[in-house]
Amino acid sequence: MKYELLKTEGRAKRARVTTVHGVIETPVFMNVGTVAAIKGAVSTRDLRGIGTQVMLCNTYHLHVRTGDETIRRLGGLHRFTNWDRPILTDSGGFQVFSLADMRRIREEGVTFHSHIDGHVIFMGPEESMQIQSNLGSTIAMAFDECAPYPSSREYMEESVARTTRWLQRCKKEMQRLNSLPDTINPQQMLFGINQGGTYEDIRIEHAKRIADMDLDGYAVGGLAVGETHEQMYHILDEVVPYLPKDKPVYLMGVGTPANILEGVERGVDFFDCVYPSRNGRHGHVYTSRGKLNLFNAKFELDARPIEEGCGCPACRHYSRAYLRHLLKAKEMLGMRLCVLHNLYFYNHLMEEIRTAIRGHRYSEYKKAKLEGFLSKED
């Protein structure tokens, strides 16, 4: 991997990440395809058309359904999904701790029951790396514990210490897997994850420890799990300066357009969130003047596109009135078009952010965008 820092404005960064599966221009939003597909009938061909750079898939979900061994036999995720650009796979840690019942955490890893059929699964650092190697993703995430919010200081200290030990095992196992002759992607990269909840001193100490491990990138995890936005921004203010300046920084599971603007200002390169696809499936669409609910009666005779000037497939060809009709009639096309619009909106937002940083006017741009999001339509 090659990380080139092209421009800065304060802590905001415009960078370029070169990978075996292509170049990623940052800041970037990764479109979430949990089970190797974007919910809402969106294909990888669609993703190319709306400017997607990176697709995110989930280790846990692909392991329990279809299976990573099956995907490996079919050539890995890139061949399986017909996607020739970068893919990041989440380690499965968040899902193990948020979805699974009756889990038991030990130093070796976690024993838990599948949320699909209840069968017993064991996953530890080595297993997570092996699954992600089978998937052949561009970037693999380290296996960690996303501790519940709120957690006591004592529990958080124990959890973060274990996560650090697990990261060391992840790095060792990935080096072994990448050296094997039959590995799908022998240049698979590893990102470590900073944890510590809202305890800034624990976060900072953990950031220092994992920064010394010389990983390909670093994520800030365990945020947007119940704390306030102000608490999240404060943690980023405190922690990001302790992560390596010559490696990408990833804020996991975040977030709203406003969250992204604030994260970029604090030095974040990578973002992901289910909001654009989830909201689109429920008829909630993003615009530069806030979010619209297309189920509202006021759109029944509205012949305008979702947003004037938008280049997405929905706005180029259809009216708000027609989209509302499709949603009310429960036609899948309505859901699909709304999801495409939202993903296009997020991808285009990131393009605007990159342009603003390059022109050294990000502060001005951010202020104008946030004011627009708070405004209402005429």
Side-chain angles (χ1 to χ4, degrees):
M1 186 198 76
K2 183 180 181 182
Y3 180 77
E4 301 172 80
L5 192 57
L6 304 177
K7 195 80 173 181
T8 61
E9 182 181 335
R11 289 185 182 174
K13 300 182 295 181
R14 166 77 176 90
R16 179 174 294 137
V17 183
T18 303
T19 79
V20 68
H21 295 120
V23 172
I24 304 169
E25 304 288 349
T26 81
V28 62
F29 181 81
M30 299 183 287
N31 294 170
V32 179
T34 302
V35 293
I38 309 292
K39 287 186 178 179
V42 175
S43 70
T44 49
R45 182 175 179 180
D46 293 322
L47 293 182
R48 294 185 191 94
I50 59 173
T52 300
Q53 295 192 73
V54 185
M55 181 167 63
L56 185 150
C57 301
N58 186 265
T59 296
Y60 168 82
H61 286 284
L62 291 172
H63 175 64
V64 298
R65 183 149 42 197
T66 297
D68 53 286
E69 288 285 355
T70 298
I71 293 172
R72 174 189 171 85
R73 292 175 63 186
L74 292 167
L77 273 178
H78 286 87
R79 186 174 297 177
F80 189 52
T81 61
N82 189 31
W83 177 252
D84 58 359
R85 298 177 185 179
I87 294 176
L88 182 145
T89 44
D90 196 351
S91 69
F94 180 81
Q95 285 69 34
V96 167
F97 293 101
S98 64
L99 291 180
D101 293 327
M102 299 177 63
R103 57 185 174 269
R104 181 186 175 194
I105 307 171
R106 295 175 294 169
E107 186 65 27
E108 295 80 7
V110 186
T111 302
F112 59 96
H113 291 258
S114 166
H115 75 289
I116 294 176
D117 58 13
H119 79 275
V120 177
I121 301 173
F122 173 80
M123 187 180 292
E126 290 78 14
E127 288 75 17
S128 178
M129 292 299 99
Q130 290 159 14
I131 295 167
Q132 292 183 81
S133 181
N134 284 339
L135 297 175
S137 58
T138 314
I139 301 169
M141 298 303 301
F143 188 70
D144 66 328
E145 179 186 0
C146 182
Y149 175 84
S151 291
S152 68
R153 169 174 285 275
E154 180 183 10
Y155 184 89
M156 190 62 73
E157 287 176 338
E158 293 176 357
S159 172
V160 170
R162 182 168 52 241
T163 285
T164 304
R165 294 191 295 272
W166 283 355
L167 176 56
Q168 293 167 335
R169 288 163 56 188
C170 285
K171 181 179 179 180
K172 181 178 179 180
E173 180 64 5
M174 173 163 284
Q175 290 171 339
R176 185 188 73 84
L177 292 166
N178 283 352
S179 70
L180 298 177
D182 59 346
T183 295
I184 290 177
N185 177 19
Q187 298 182 61
Q188 191 172 44
M189 298 181 289
L190 177 65
F191 280 22
I193 304 174
N194 171 259
Q195 292 287 359
T198 54
Y199 299 99
E200 61 184 64
D201 57 329
I202 298 177
R203 286 270 186 186
I204 290 171
E205 184 58 32
H206 191 227
K208 291 177 180 178
R209 292 199 64 183
I210 64 177
D212 289 338
M213 296 177 66
D214 191 28
L215 304 169
D216 296 300
Y218 294 85
V220 181
L223 293 177
V225 292
E227 81 286 353
T228 67
H229 289 167
E230 289 70 27
Q231 287 175 306
M232 176 172 69
Y233 301 150
H234 174 69
I235 290 298
L236 292 175
D237 283 333
E238 296 298 320
V239 171
V240 172
Y242 290 94
L243 296 174
K245 304 296 187 292
D246 59 345
K247 301 290 178 67
V249 174
Y250 167 26
L251 178 55
M252 304 183 74
V254 177
T256 67
N259 291 157
I260 288 173
L261 289 166
E262 296 289 355
V264 166
E265 187 173 64
R266 290 160 171 83
V268 176
D269 294 275
F270 285 63
F271 300 86
D272 81 280
C273 190
V274 297
Y275 282 169
S277 55
R278 178 182 293 168
N279 281 326
R281 297 195 304 274
H282 293 90
H284 293 205
V285 290
Y286 291 92
T287 78
S288 59
R289 295 176 64 82
K291 195 165 58 178
L292 306 179
N293 180 358
L294 292 180
F295 278 97
N296 286 347
K298 67 179 181 179
F299 299 122
E300 184 176 9
L301 298 175
D302 195 335
R304 294 174 295 173
I306 297 170
E307 180 156 43
E308 297 287 352
C310 175
C312 82
C315 290
R316 288 204 314 268
H317 303 293
Y318 303 106
S319 68
R320 297 174 179 184
Y322 181 61
L323 293 171
R324 180 179 184 274
H325 157 73
L326 293 173
L327 292 165
K328 295 282 286 185
K330 294 181 169 44
E331 285 290 343
M332 186 177 291
L333 178 60
M335 174 179 69
R336 169 178 152 77
L337 289 170
C338 288
V339 171
L340 282 170
H341 168 82
N342 283 351
L343 294 178
Y344 179 95
F345 177 88
Y346 267 65
N347 290 335
H348 187 63
L349 173 68
M350 305 313 294
E351 185 179 339
E352 289 183 347
I353 288 171
R354 294 192 294 270
T355 300
I357 297 173
R358 185 169 63 242
H360 205 73
R361 54 180 183 83
Y362 181 70
S363 180
E364 171 190 342
Y365 169 82
K366 177 198 163 196
K367 182 175 182 293
K369 291 300 283 189
L370 289 176
E371 288 175 353
F373 294 152
L374 293 174
S375 66
K376 294 184 178 180
E377 282 197 314
D378 299 328

